[in-house]
């Protein structure tokens, strides 16, 4: 039986999660026309939550690794 803690999450996906969170904090640096839609960007805890959710989603799909 596969456990959520055994689901592999590659460094590239971790970097993607961090980039995604930073893009909400500084959308102009990423050429995203969303600064008028975001008052406050995502917190570091958002990155942690995305990391956990990605692993749980892979687990629920019975996969041993996370895909983007």
């Amino acid at each position: 039986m596969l456990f959520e803690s055994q689901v592999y999450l590659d460094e590239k996906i971790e970097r993607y999660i961090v980039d995604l969170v930073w893009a909400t904090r500084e959308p102009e640096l990423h050429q995203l026309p969303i600064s008028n839609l975001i008052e406050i960007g995502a917190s570091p805890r958002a990155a942690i939550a995305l990391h956990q959710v990605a692993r749980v989603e892979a687990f629920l799909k019975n996969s041993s690794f996370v895909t983007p």
Side-chain angles (χ1 to χ4, degrees):
M1 181 174 175
L2 181 69
F3 295 100
E4 182 264 334
S5 62
Q6 296 171 312
V7 174
Y8 176 71
L9 194 137
D10 192 77
E11 276 185 44
K12 292 177 185 174
I13 295 178
E14 287 179 349
R15 184 78 240 162
Y16 177 73
I17 290 171
V18 171
D19 289 345
L20 183 63
V21 169
W22 272 109
T24 68
R25 297 178 70 83
E26 298 177 343
E28 308 83 28
L29 295 177
H30 300 277
Q31 291 87 34
L32 297 173
I34 59 172
S35 44
N36 61 328
L37 302 173
I38 298 176
E39 189 170 323
I40 300 172
S43 71
R45 288 185 185 181
I48 295 168
L50 286 171
H51 181 276
Q52 292 172 334
V53 167
R55 290 177 72 192
V56 168
E57 182 182 25
F59 169 76
L60 292 174
K61 292 180 177 178
N62 204 28
S63 176
S64 61
F65 58 92
V66 172
T67 58

